[in-house]
Amino acid sequence: MPEQDSLAATREAYDTAADTYARLFRDSLRDSPLDRAMLGVFAEAVRVGGGGPVADLGCGPGHVTAYLAELGLTEVFGVDASPAMIELAQQAHPELRFGVGSMASLDIADGALAGALSRWSIIHTPPPELPSIIGEFARVLAPGGHLLIGFSASGAASEPTQVFDHAVAPAYRWWPDHLSALLRASGLSEMARMVREPRPTDRRPFKEVHLLARRA
């Protein structure tokens, strides 16, 4: 099936690139104060909502999962499709829990999570498959639970999705309002968004977006 083929290809590509990826991105939050701020807002929203389990979906080598734990989220864990990424995450952060899994079919019970983070983990999802992925995010969130989703913005509202060149696997960017509408269709209401302009040091000249949403 196409969905399985794209997932398998992405998983294999990230298994191959895991060591390089971890080396390049393990300190990426250090120079991203706006990203840290949005992660802080997300963590605070989870705490104010009563706390509970939080999943970092597409956690890679686990550096952001660890940052969420530093922010005081005591039940945070990471999930990634790449076994090599999970192995690196477990080595770097043995105090945290990580497991191999697919965002298309999460091994998480309905309504089990107080929060879910998807930080650039949807970029390799073919556009026709994205609604079902977002539906899966909504499924595992408890009522009142929060989702923070990060992605790169397409160039204009007239192009709701755009393919872009990525070193690891085919990748996509989305117009923020289009993605917000997909969230809304799955019962997730946008609460806030942060749009960051590209910096001279960025690898690609794209706006980067964080959307914070809440399950009704």
Side-chain angles (χ1 to χ4, degrees), residues 1-197:
M1 295 177 64
E3 179 178 333
Q4 294 173 336
D5 290 345
S6 65
L7 174 62
T10 301
R11 179 172 55 238
E12 181 177 349
Y14 273 99
D15 278 345
T16 301
D19 288 328
T20 300
Y21 185 97
R23 187 171 61 253
L24 289 173
F25 290 99
R26 76 178 105 210
D27 296 323
S28 59
L29 288 176
R30 181 184 58 197
D31 299 321
S32 301
L34 292 176
D35 290 14
R36 295 197 307 270
M38 284 304 298
L39 290 168
V41 169
F42 168 68
E44 181 67 14
V46 170
R47 285 196 297 269
V48 169
V54 174
D56 181 2
L57 303 173
C59 65
H63 58 297
V64 180
T65 320
Y67 186 71
L68 292 177
E70 291 176 14
L71 291 174
L73 297 180
T74 59
E75 300 181 68
V76 63
F77 63 97
V79 178
D80 200 277
S82 164
M85 286 290 194
I86 290 299
E87 183 177 355
L88 290 173
Q90 290 174 330
Q91 290 172 357
H93 309 286
E95 75 284 2
L96 298 176
R97 177 164 60 96
F98 297 94
V100 176
S102 167
M103 294 187 300
S105 182
L106 293 165
D107 187 19
I108 300 172
D110 294 359
L113 300 182
L117 174 67
S118 169
R119 181 179 163 81
W120 273 260
S121 58
I122 63 166
I123 65 170
H124 302 298
T125 302
E129 298 170 17
L130 186 58
S132 65
I133 297 289
I134 291 176
E136 188 71 350
F137 293 168
R139 179 188 68 79
V140 298
L141 280 173
H146 291 84
L147 170 70
L148 181 63
I149 187 166
F151 56 97
S152 297
S154 66
S158 60
E159 297 181 283
T161 63
Q162 287 178 315
V163 178
F164 71 91
D165 183 33
H166 192 279
V168 178
Y172 306 86
R173 50 197 182 113
W174 287 269
W175 186 247
D177 289 344
H178 173 67
L179 204 142
S180 183
L182 294 179
L183 295 175
R184 191 163 55 249
S186 289
L188 298 165
S189 300
E190 181 183 339
M191 298 175 61
R193 73 173 67 178
M194 186 269 284
V195 181
R196 181 173 68 75
E197 295 291 332

